Amino acid sequence: MASLCKMRVGAAPAMRSQRMAVPVMAPATRSFVGSAIAQKPTLVQTRPSLVSRGVERSRVVKVAAQAAGATPAKAPEFKWGANMKDLAISVGIAVVMWFVPPPAGVSVKAWHLLSVFVGTIVGIITTPLPLGAVAVLGLGAAMLTKVLTFAEAFSAFSSEIPWLIAIAYFLAGGFIKSGLGNRIAYAIVSAFGKTSLGLTYSLVFAEALLSPAIPSVAARAGGIFFPLAKALCLACGSDPEKGTAKKLGSYLMITCFQTTTVSSAMFITAMAANPLAVNLAASAGINISWGTWALAGLVPGLICLVSVPLILYALYPPETKDTPDAPAAAQKELAKLGPLSLNEKITAFALAITVALWIFGGSIGVNAVAAAIVGLTILLVTNVTTWKECLANGPAWDTLTWFAALIAMAAYLNKFGFIGWFSDSVVKIVGGLGLEWQGGVGGLVAPSFFS
């Protein structure tokens, strides 16, 4: 009992302190029951007071009122993913052709495939969607209308030509990333750019030198040479904003523009359209290798590259004949680049191996795609370029898709007999005009040139 009293006495100060902490509580009784009552402050302290409850309720009401009066979030506007006008034109032309009776000598299936093919071509020209998407829609239309099976529609994805162009795009990405293309251009300009004519030739032949490795005119001319030409023109005091364009820039730009079309025709991998011609020739039984094309294009290409700057120099001469500032500007840019980097050396080695295999690989059984993969492997293994960068190369995959689609459709147009019928019809028309072969070739080339 005494010990119990001591316990109660010892607990009293603590109980008092607890009661002081919450003055609203009644005092605890001095009994066994009182000890239980004294422990209630812990429970009471965890409960919110009436005041705090009221404040919380007012906050909830205020937030609810604000939410009720707030302007609802505006739904995002619907936006078409395609240019519907151009898409309607492409589909409309295909539909109209579909229901036109085929001419004599052309099967219904061939005519229907031609309708889809023409609609796809119109879509590629008007681009209501990216080229690859247009090509996939064309293949889908061919399969939905049962003109082609899945195996037939996607048969060209196993063809060598589309993959050659795609891998060449990957190689070009490493070439540009390493800075080797800019270094070569600046080095040539610094060596031969003392006169306006020499500067023009240095840019023209530098662009032609890089054309086998960069299969895109936009990437090659627009990404490297036109920015370089503009910088050199400004360094020489030719600025269109100051009215001095004719001092050098007008002549230089128009010459480079004209000669890019020449260099694009000299090599299979210089432009994306060239492999399509190779494939069409193969469908007629004529096989053209990379080396054969280069050898055939070398002489006429060099003649054009030499003569075009001279012709334009006479017809559209620059006011400035000497450009002593151009080599200095090129040297300054070379100094910024510093010594040849390891990545540039690796890129140069990879491209040298690739081009050598393109030229001589046929004699040892190495096709053009395998040669390109050798070069790409070197760039990937040495981290000059990465596979992630290859995957992000939209133009490469876009070109692969639309090339394969067009090749497949063209192949089956030939198989269904339309190409043979069309060729015979053209021969009869041209032959009926009584022209010599030169005139006949000119008549065939002129529509292609002006289109």
Side-chain angles (χ1 to χ4, degrees):
M1 189 70 179
S3 61
L4 186 58
C5 291
K6 288 180 182 179
M7 289 174 60
R8 284 187 291 159
V9 172
M15 291 159 54
R16 289 193 192 98
S17 63
Q18 291 175 6
R19 287 199 300 270
M20 290 175 66
V22 185
V24 295
M25 289 186 59
T29 57
R30 299 183 65 80
S31 65
F32 291 109
V33 178
S35 62
I37 295 173
Q39 294 173 5
K40 284 184 180 179
T42 305
L43 300 175
V44 174
Q45 285 176 342
T46 60
R47 296 173 183 171
S49 66
L50 294 174
V51 177
S52 63
R53 286 177 182 176
V55 172
E56 187 67 26
R57 285 175 182 171
S58 65
R59 286 177 182 172
V60 171
V61 171
K62 186 176 180 180
V63 170
Q66 289 176 350
T71 304
K74 188 177 180 181
E77 277 188 35
F78 176 77
K79 185 178 180 181
W80 293 103
N83 185 320
M84 298 306 294
K85 179 181 176 182
D86 292 340
L87 184 61
I89 291 172
S90 304
V91 174
I93 290 174
V95 170
V96 169
M97 285 190 62
W98 182 280
F99 290 103
V100 171
V106 178
S107 67
V108 173
K109 193 171 187 179
W111 185 254
H112 286 172
L113 178 56
L114 178 67
S115 304
V116 176
F117 182 74
V118 171
T120 305
I121 292 293
V122 173
I124 287 175
I125 295 171
T126 58
T127 60
L129 286 167
L131 300 184
V134 172
V136 170
L137 292 181
L139 292 179
M143 289 186 291
L144 284 172
T145 56
K146 298 182 180 180
V147 174
L148 294 177
T149 64
F150 174 84
E152 292 170 341
F154 286 85
S155 60
F157 281 88
S158 62
S159 175
E160 176 181 326
I161 298 303
W163 286 104
L164 174 61
I165 289 298
I167 297 172
Y169 267 104
F170 301 152
L171 289 170
F175 191 80
I176 294 172
K177 178 184 174 183
S178 69
L180 182 60
N182 285 333
R183 184 182 294 277
I184 291 173
Y186 285 127
I188 293 175
V189 170
S190 66
F192 304 103
K194 293 181 180 180
T195 64
S196 58
L197 197 57
L199 175 62
T200 304
Y201 274 122
S202 64
L203 289 173
V204 166
F205 280 95
E207 192 269 339
L209 181 64
L210 299 184
S211 60
I214 305 178
S216 168
V217 180
R220 190 171 67 246
I224 297 178
F225 285 95
F226 280 119
L228 172 58
K230 180 180 177 181
L232 294 172
C233 290
L234 293 176
C236 295
S238 181
D239 187 349
E241 294 183 0
K242 297 179 180 179
T244 57
K246 290 187 177 181
K247 190 174 181 179
L248 176 64
S250 298
Y251 164 74
L252 188 61
M253 289 296 183
I254 195 171
T255 304
C256 290
F257 175 78
Q258 295 294 334
T259 52
T260 54
T261 61
V262 176
S263 59
S264 296
M266 291 177 67
F267 306 96
I268 288 179
T269 52
M271 187 174 68
N274 295 343
L276 186 59
V278 173
N279 188 78
L280 293 174
S283 65
I286 302 172
N287 295 317
I288 303 174
S289 66
W290 194 94
T292 302
W293 182 296
L295 186 62
L298 189 62
V299 173
L302 288 176
I303 291 173
C304 290
L305 292 179
V306 171
S307 60
V308 168
L310 289 174
I311 294 171
L312 289 174
Y313 193 80
L315 298 177
Y316 198 62
E319 295 175 356
T320 301
K321 307 301 181 184
D322 296 320
T323 55
D325 295 329
Q331 287 288 351
K332 186 177 180 180
E333 294 299 325
L334 284 172
K336 289 181 183 178
L337 292 175
L340 198 67
S341 66
L342 178 61
N343 280 358
E344 288 177 286
K345 294 177 182 177
I346 293 172
T347 303
F349 174 73
L351 289 176
I353 292 292
T354 302
V355 173
L357 288 174
W358 278 341
I359 297 173
F360 305 109
S363 60
I364 57 175
V366 177
N367 63 37
V369 175
I373 290 176
V374 170
L376 180 61
T377 302
I378 295 172
L379 297 184
L380 289 172
V381 170
T382 57
N383 202 35
V384 173
T385 191
T386 65
W387 184 243
K388 189 175 182 180
E389 291 170 340
C390 294
L391 291 175
N393 194 328
W397 299 107
D398 220 27
T399 304
L400 169 66
T401 304
W402 70 264
F403 246 97
L406 294 185
I407 288 174
M409 291 185 191
Y412 279 92
L413 280 173
N414 185 44
K415 186 176 181 179
F416 295 160
F418 176 79
I419 301 297
W421 172 86
F422 182 77
S423 300
D424 293 340
S425 300
V426 171
V427 168
K428 289 178 182 177
I429 293 172
V430 175
L433 296 176
L435 300 174
E436 296 292 334
W437 71 267
Q438 297 91 339
V441 170
L444 294 174
V445 170
S448 174
F449 178 80
F450 287 106
S451 63

